[in-house]
C-alpha cells in the first residue's frame, strides 16, 4: 500500500484532537496545501480555520489542543437578525458600526434626547411637537453615523488591545476581516456622510460638532496614558446638550442659561463615568493583562462606592439645573426622583464579578436613567406647550 494511504488510514483511527495535530505535521512535511494553517493578513494577524491545530499547538501536543482552541474562538458569521440578510462582504462593516448591538447607540442618542427636551423647556417660543419629532429623527440618523465612525476609529486604534480581550478579539479589525487602511477609509467615509445633516440645522450647530469629533478621536488614546478614560468619554457625550441648545436657537454659553446648561452638562458627564465604569468590569481581568487602563481597573475594589458618590453629585446637579432654569415640580419628580431610584437600583443590584450582569445594567441603565431625565424634561416641555403655569403646578394659564 502506498505510504500516503497508510498514513491516512492510521490517521482515521486516531482521536480527533490527536488526528488534527498529526495531520498538520504530515501535510506540512509533505509540502501539501495546509488547511487551517496559520496565515497572516495585511494587518499581520495570524488567521486560521476552526477545527485544526496551528503549528505551535502541534508542537505542544494534542493534550493542549482543546484548551488552545477555546482560548482563541473562531468567528461564526451571523445566522439570524439584521446582519444575516446582508451580503457577506458588508457584514464586517456593519459589525464595525455595531449595528447589531443597540445598547451603545443609546449612549450616543440619549444625551441628544435629553438636550432637545431641555432646550425646548427654556427656549422661546416653545417649539411644536412636530419640530421636536423632526429633530429627534435627524439626531437619530446622525448618531447612527457618529457611533459607527467612533467605533470604527476606536477599533482601529485599539486592535492590538482587542486581540488580547476575550469579548473584543473577534471584532472585524482585530480578527482581520477589515484591514487597518480599510478601517480608516470607512471612518472617513462615515464622517463625510454625516456632514449633509447639518444643512437641516442652524449654522451654529456645526461649531459644536468639532469638539465632539475631536474628543471621540482622543478617547482610545486616553486608556493608554490615564486610568480615567471614562472622564474623557463623558465630555463628547455630554456635549450633545450644547449642540441641541443651538439647534433650538438657545445660546448655551449666554449669561441667561450658562449655569443651568453647564450643570446639566456635568450631570451627563458623571452619568457616563458611572455606567461606563460598571460596563468596563466585563473585561477587567483581560484589561489588566493587556495593560488597558480604566476606572474599573483603578477602583476595582471600590467601584460601588465611587458610583454612589458620583450618582449623588449627579442628582445634586440635576436639582441645581431645575432650580437655575426655574423648572416646575414636574421636572423634579421625573428627572431627579426617577434618576435617583434608577441609579440606586443599578448600584445595589449589579454584580460586578459577572460580565452578564454588568452588560445587562449597561443596556437598561440608558432607559432607566436616561429615560427618567428625558421624561422629566419632556413632561416639563408639554406643560409649557399646553399653557400650564409652572408656579402653580397644575393651574392652566388663561
Amino acid at each position: 500500500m502506498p505510504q500516503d494511504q497508510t498514513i491516512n488510514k492510521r490517521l482515521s483511527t486516531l482521536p480527533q484532537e490527536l488526528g488534527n495535530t498529526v495531520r498538520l505535521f504530515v501535510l506540512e512535511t509533505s509540502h501539501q496545501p495546509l488547511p487551517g494553517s496559520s496565515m497572516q493578513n495585511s494587518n499581520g494577524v495570524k488567521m486560521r480555520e476552526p477545527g485544526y491545530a496551528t503549528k505551535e499547538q502541534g508542537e505542544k501536543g494534542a493534550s493542549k489542543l482543546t484548551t488552545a482552541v477555546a482560548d482563541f474562538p473562531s468567528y461564526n458569521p451571523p445566522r439570524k437578525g439584521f446582519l444575516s440578510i446582508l451580503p457577506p462582504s458588508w457584514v464586517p462593516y456593519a459589525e464595525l458600526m455595531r449595528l447589531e448591538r443597540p445598547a451603545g447607540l443609546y449612549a450616543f442618542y440619549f444625551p441628544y434626547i435629553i438636550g432637545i427636551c431641555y432646550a425646548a423647556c427654556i427656549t422661546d417660543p416653545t417649539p411644536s411637537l412636530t419640530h421636536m419629532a423632526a429633530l429627534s429623527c435627524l439626531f437619530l440618523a446622525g448618531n447612527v453615523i457618529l457611533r459607527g465612525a467612533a467605533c470604527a476609529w476606536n477599533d482601529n486604534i485599539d486592535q492590538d488591545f482587542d486581540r488580547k480581550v476575550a469579548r473584543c478579539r473577534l471584532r472585524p479589525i482585530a480578527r482581520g476581516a477589515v484591514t487597518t487602511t480599510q478601517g480608516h477609509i470607512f471612518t472617513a467615509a462615515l464622517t463625510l456622510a454625516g456632514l449633509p445633516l447639518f444643512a437641516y440645522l442652524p449654522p451654529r450647530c456645526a461649531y459644536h460638532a468639532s469638539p465632539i469629533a475631536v474628543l471621540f478621536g482622543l478617547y482610545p488614546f486616553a486608556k493608554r496614558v490615564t486610568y480615567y478614560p471614562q472622564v474623557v468619554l463623558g465630555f463628547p457625550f455630554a456635549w450633545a446638550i450644547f449642540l441641541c441648545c443651538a439647534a433650538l436657537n438657545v445660546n448655551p454659553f449666554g449669561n441667561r442659561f450658562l449655569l443651568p446648561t453647564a450643570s446639566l452638562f456635568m450631570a451627563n458627564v458623571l452619568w457616563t463615568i458611572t455606567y461606563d465604569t460598571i460596563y468596563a468590569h466585563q473585561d477587567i481581568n483581560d484589561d489588566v493583562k493587556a495593560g488597558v487602563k480604566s476606572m474599573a481597573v483603578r477602583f476595582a475594589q471600590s467601584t460601588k462606592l465611587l458610583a454612589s458618590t458620583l450618582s449623588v453629585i449627579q442628582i445634586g446637579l440635576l436639582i441645581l439645573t431645575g432650580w437655575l432654569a426655574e423648572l416646575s415640580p414636574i421636572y423634579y419628580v421625573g428627572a431627579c426622583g426617577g434618576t435617583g431610584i434608577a441609579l440606586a437600583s443599578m448600584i445595589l443590584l449589579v454584580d460586578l464579578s459577572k460580565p452578564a450582569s454588568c452588560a445587562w445594567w449597561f443596556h437598561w441603565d440608558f432607559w432607566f436613567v436616561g429615560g427618567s431625565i428625558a421624561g422629566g424634561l419632556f413632561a416639563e416641555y408639554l406643560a409649557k406647550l399646553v399653557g400650564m403655569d409652572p408656579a402653580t403646578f397644575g393651574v392652566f394659564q388663561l
Side-chain angles (χ1 to χ4, degrees):
M1 182 179 294
Q3 183 178 8
D4 58 344
Q5 294 182 7
T6 302
I7 293 174
N8 285 334
K9 182 177 180 180
R10 292 181 61 191
L11 284 175
S12 65
T13 64
L14 293 175
Q16 183 64 40
E17 291 85 359
L18 183 58
N20 283 335
T21 305
V22 178
R23 180 172 178 270
L24 175 73
F25 175 78
V26 172
L27 289 173
E28 184 174 37
T29 55
S30 62
H31 304 289
Q32 296 182 30
L34 197 60
S37 62
S38 296
M39 301 175 289
Q40 287 191 342
N41 62 15
S42 59
N43 286 336
V45 183
K46 289 186 176 181
M47 304 297 295
R48 64 181 179 82
E49 296 176 4
Y52 297 95
T54 63
K55 180 179 179 181
E56 291 78 10
Q57 291 167 348
E59 292 173 349
K60 291 180 181 179
S63 63
K64 297 182 179 180
L65 178 63
T66 302
T67 301
V69 171
D71 289 342
F72 296 90
S74 301
Y75 172 74
N76 295 313
R79 300 183 183 279
K80 59 182 181 179
F82 168 71
L83 297 189
S84 65
I85 65 176
L86 294 178
S89 61
W90 293 16
V91 171
Y93 294 96
E95 292 174 330
L96 202 55
M97 294 180 69
R98 311 283 202 276
L99 292 181
E100 81 285 14
R101 299 178 182 274
L105 178 61
Y106 305 152
F108 281 78
Y109 188 49
F110 260 108
Y112 285 84
I113 295 297
I114 292 170
I116 292 172
C117 294
Y118 166 73
C121 291
I122 61 176
T123 191
D124 190 28
T126 304
S128 67
L129 280 171
T130 302
H131 187 54
M132 294 280 285
L135 277 179
S136 299
C137 291
L138 184 66
F139 283 129
L140 176 59
N143 275 279
V144 171
I145 297 171
L146 174 63
R147 183 205 181 197
C151 289
W153 172 256
N154 184 80
D155 287 6
N156 226 341
I157 302 302
D158 279 355
Q159 56 180 287
D160 292 334
F161 282 156
D162 286 348
R163 295 183 190 113
K164 301 174 184 178
V165 178
R167 186 177 60 87
C168 306
R169 60 166 53 114
L170 292 181
R171 287 175 174 172
I173 296 177
R175 73 172 188 265
V178 176
T179 68
T180 298
T181 300
Q182 290 170 335
H184 286 315
I185 293 174
F186 189 59
T187 301
L190 287 173
T191 303
L192 292 175
L195 294 180
L197 297 178
F198 285 94
Y200 301 94
L201 296 169
R204 64 178 65 88
C205 291
Y207 299 125
H208 296 287
S210 297
I212 291 174
V214 170
L215 289 167
F216 275 130
L218 292 175
Y219 167 67
F221 299 102
K223 65 189 74 172
R224 291 161 166 77
V225 298
T226 177
Y227 282 101
Y228 300 90
Q230 282 74 24
V231 176
V232 178
L233 184 63
F235 280 85
F237 279 141
W239 209 283
I241 307 295
F242 298 150
L243 195 153
C244 290
C245 284
L248 285 173
N249 297 308
V250 175
N251 180 7
F253 305 123
N255 292 333
R256 183 180 178 188
F257 298 117
L258 173 61
L259 292 180
T261 306
S263 180
L264 182 61
F265 174 89
M266 287 308 303
N268 204 110
V269 171
L270 296 183
W271 177 37
T272 301
I273 296 171
T274 299
Y275 69 66
D276 200 66
T277 300
I278 289 174
Y279 181 71
H281 268 268
Q282 292 183 99
D283 308 316
I284 191 168
N285 293 328
D286 286 342
D287 283 350
V288 170
K289 296 176 183 177
V292 180
K293 294 180 172 66
S294 74
M295 292 181 69
V297 174
R298 174 64 179 81
F299 298 96
Q301 304 303 319
S302 56
T303 295
K304 289 200 173 187
L305 176 60
L306 172 69
S308 299
T309 303
L310 294 177
S311 296
V312 169
I313 299 173
Q314 178 188 342
I315 295 169
L317 288 169
L318 290 175
I319 294 172
L320 180 62
T321 298
W323 179 66
L324 292 171
E326 300 180 352
L327 302 181
S328 77
I330 298 175
Y331 162 80
Y332 292 100
V333 172
C336 304
T339 297
I341 294 172
L343 287 172
S345 298
M346 178 178 67
I347 295 169
L348 179 64
L349 298 176
V350 66
D351 187 340
L352 298 175
S353 66
K354 295 182 179 179
S357 179
C358 296
W360 191 93
W361 281 102
F362 173 77
H363 180 279
W364 288 104
D365 176 73
F366 297 111
W367 293 102
F368 298 154
V369 176
S372 295
I373 300 173
L377 287 166
F378 186 70
E380 180 79 16
Y381 155 73
L382 287 179
K384 181 181 178 183
L385 182 67
V386 301
M388 183 180 293
D389 185 357
T392 55
F393 185 43
V395 179
F396 288 88
Q397 293 177 336
L398 299 178

